[in-house]
Amino acid sequence: MIWYIARRLLQMIPVFLGATLIIYLLTFYTSGDPILTLAGDKPISPAVEQRLREQYNLDKPVLVQWLIYLGNVVTLDLGVGFNGRSISEQIAQAFPTTFKLALIAVAVETTFGVIAGVIAGLRKGTFIDTTLLMLSLLLIATPTFVIGFVAQFVLGVKLGIAPINVGRDPSWENLLVPGFVLGAVSFAYVLRLTRTSIAETVPSDHVRTATAKGLSRGGVVSRHILRNSLIPVVTFIGADLGALMGGAIVTERIFNVPGIGTLLFKSINDGESPLVVSLVTLMVIIFLLSNLVVDLLYGVLDPRIRYGK
């Protein structure tokens, strides 16, 4: 197991290097001259411009800038943004909120999506199955910002059971509604994936054999149907964690959540290129680590993968 994890970590290194290089090049070549953006409409003297370029390593070739940035990532010292604030401190302040929001969204999509998918898959073709499929299709077809505004208006304005705006230092309770909104579309995909996997596994030979041996319905479902059906679902959820961190921009803006999404949106508007690169790099790291966890879970769900067969 240790050697497998080490091998997977080594495989992530070229992926991480390639992703960060692409992010760095795209950010700094498409956002224009950051020094002129920083100055805005105010005139800037050549001496001040040169000093700022040296401070942010903009006087060096782009590949050298990238290598310096990688060194900063390794030491966890990402330097100072154009606003004069430490990038590491800004991320450290915003990350816990978005991480809690993403955990709530993953819990929603995993718990409710798997349960609804199992019910639909075991009752394929019935009224319950059709209703759940229609609900999932409705959620997939509805943009996240529409779901967010509807939830905000109904739960916050009309019923008054949830805060309209989360504000600073939000608690888990204040993040429940934004978390449900963030995980709504993913819940629909998990439901459909689980339902399809369950429906395909039910007629399998090993399921019929287990039933013929006299196993209870619950035992057959939990040991022989659900366990074999969860691999594609786990794959989706693992990849979705990184996507939720990035997709939180819309949800955080609607509910005024001070997280990574809000910080990324503000940094893009302000032309904070170093902060944008650091935030996207963080999402890449989260995506790679979540996929590593998914690979380890494969062995738990399927003994053939665990023993390399």
Side-chain angles (χ1 to χ4, degrees):
M1 177 65 71
I2 296 177
W3 287 109
Y4 175 77
I5 296 175
R7 186 171 70 249
R8 290 290 293 151
L9 289 174
L10 288 175
Q11 292 172 353
M12 290 180 183
I13 293 177
V15 177
F16 172 77
L17 294 177
T20 53
L21 178 59
I22 293 173
I23 294 166
Y24 203 91
L25 293 176
L26 286 176
T27 302
F28 280 88
Y29 275 121
T30 59
S31 60
D33 191 336
I35 299 300
L36 298 180
T37 303
L38 179 64
D41 297 331
K42 300 178 181 179
I44 182 171
S45 66
V48 174
E49 180 180 346
Q50 180 61 28
R51 182 174 61 83
L52 289 174
R53 293 189 184 280
E54 293 176 356
Q55 178 181 350
Y56 294 106
N57 300 311
L58 297 175
D59 58 332
K60 299 178 176 61
V62 66
L63 289 180
V64 176
Q65 298 178 39
W66 174 62
L67 291 175
I68 294 174
Y69 172 73
L70 289 180
N72 294 336
V73 172
V74 172
T75 59
L76 300 180
D77 182 10
L78 300 176
V80 179
F82 294 148
N83 57 6
R85 297 179 57 193
S86 169
I87 295 177
S88 300
E89 290 181 0
Q90 294 181 70
I91 295 177
Q93 291 174 358
F95 179 76
T97 301
T98 299
F99 188 67
K100 289 192 291 185
L101 186 64
L103 284 182
I104 294 174
V106 170
V108 168
E109 68 177 88
T110 303
T111 305
F112 296 103
V114 170
I115 292 176
V118 170
I119 294 173
L122 294 177
R123 292 167 174 79
K124 182 180 178 181
T126 63
F127 174 76
I128 295 178
D129 178 34
T130 304
T131 303
L132 289 174
L133 286 178
M134 290 177 62
L135 172 63
S136 65
L137 189 60
L138 176 63
L139 290 175
I140 292 173
T142 305
T144 302
F145 69 88
V146 174
I147 300 175
F149 282 126
V150 170
Q152 188 181 51
F153 178 75
V154 174
L155 300 178
V157 178
K158 288 296 184 180
L159 300 180
I161 59 177
I164 299 176
N165 292 317
V166 171
R168 291 186 176 183
D169 195 19
S171 62
W172 287 93
E173 293 78 7
N174 291 339
L175 291 174
L176 284 178
V177 175
F180 269 84
V181 171
L182 182 60
V185 176
S186 298
F187 154 78
Y189 283 115
V190 171
L191 189 160
R192 298 178 76 90
L193 275 174
T194 307
R195 182 258 182 193
T196 302
S197 297
I198 292 290
E200 291 176 351
T201 307
V202 167
S204 301
D205 293 337
H206 69 278
V207 175
R208 289 200 297 264
T209 302
T211 304
K213 287 182 177 180
L215 266 71
S216 64
R217 180 65 170 172
V220 172
V221 172
S222 61
R223 297 180 186 178
H224 299 280
I225 297 180
L226 182 59
R227 188 169 181 176
N228 289 279
S229 303
L230 281 181
I231 289 181
V233 178
V234 169
T235 303
F236 173 81
I237 294 174
D240 194 46
L241 179 59
L244 288 174
M245 296 290 292
I249 296 177
V250 175
T251 306
E252 289 185 0
R253 293 292 295 173
I254 293 174
F255 292 93
N256 194 26
V257 178
I260 293 293
T262 300
L263 183 62
L264 180 59
F265 180 83
K266 186 176 183 299
S267 61
I268 293 174
N269 283 342
D270 296 343
E272 286 280 350
S273 301
L275 184 54
V276 172
V277 172
S278 299
L279 289 172
V280 179
T281 300
L282 174 64
M283 295 176 188
V284 171
I285 294 174
I286 293 173
F287 181 82
L288 293 175
L289 293 178
S290 62
N291 277 271
L292 174 61
V293 174
V294 167
D295 289 343
L296 297 178
L297 287 177
Y298 285 160
V300 176
L301 296 172
D302 193 339
R304 295 173 298 178
I305 300 176
R306 186 189 318 161
Y307 296 111
K309 296 182 179 179

